[in-house]
Amino acid sequence: MKKRLAIFASGNGSNAEKLMHYFAENPYAEVVLVVSNKSDAGVLKHAENHTVETCVFENADFVSGEEVLANLQQRDIDYIVLAGFLRKIPDTLIAAYARRIINIHPALLPKFGGKGMYGMHVHTAVKEAGETKTGITIHLVDEEFDNGEHLAQYTCPVNAEDTPATIATKVQSLEHQYFGPTIEKYITC
Ligand code: GRF
C-alpha cells in the first residue's frame, strides 16, 4: 500500500508543488493532503491544480494540535512533510508522528538554524558570515526547532559575487531536486 503524505506549508509552496508532481506517479507514496495556516497561501492553488485535498486551520489550532491530529488520523496519514511551514509543530503531533515528520531547511544545519532562521534571513546570515558553501538539510522533526536527525544534506558553493538572492536561487534548486527522492528513500527503507 502506498504511504499517504500530508504536506504542511504556509507560503508559495514551490517545494510542495514539486513534491505533488514527484509523487503523482510514484509506486511508494502519494500526497493526499495539504495543510496550511493561511487561507491565501499559494500552496493551496498548487494543491487544487493537482486535485489534492486541502485543510486550512487557524494558528490557534496549532497550539494543542488535537483537531489537526484528528484530521490527519481520519485520513490515515502516514507521514507529515513540512515545506515552508512557519508554525511550531505541536507536541501532540510530534508524539503521534514520531520519526514520521520530515522538514527541509535552506542551510547546512546545525549552522543557520533555530527560531527566526527562515527565508531570506537564512541566506543573508550565510552571506554575512562569509561562508564559502551553503545548501539544504532534510531532517526529522522533534520538539526543538531544526534539531532532529539529519536524513540528507546537499551543498552548493557561495562565491564572493553571490548575494542573498542568488544564494536563495541556488538553494531552491537543490531543494527542488532532492526533497522528493530523499523522502522516498527514507519512507521505503
Ligand atoms: C524553503 O526554502 C524551505 O527550505 C523552507 O521554506 C521554504 C519554502 O519555500 N523550509 P517554498 O514555499 O516551497 O517555495
Side-chain angles (χ1 to χ4, degrees), residues 9 11-16 82-86 103-106 119 123 136 171-172 175-176:
N12 161 48
S14 75
N15 280 282
L82 308 181
F85 186 66
L86 296 177
N103 183 43
I104 188 164
H105 186 78
H123 309 306
I136 61 170
V171 168
Q172 189 182 56
E175 293 182 331
H176 291 175

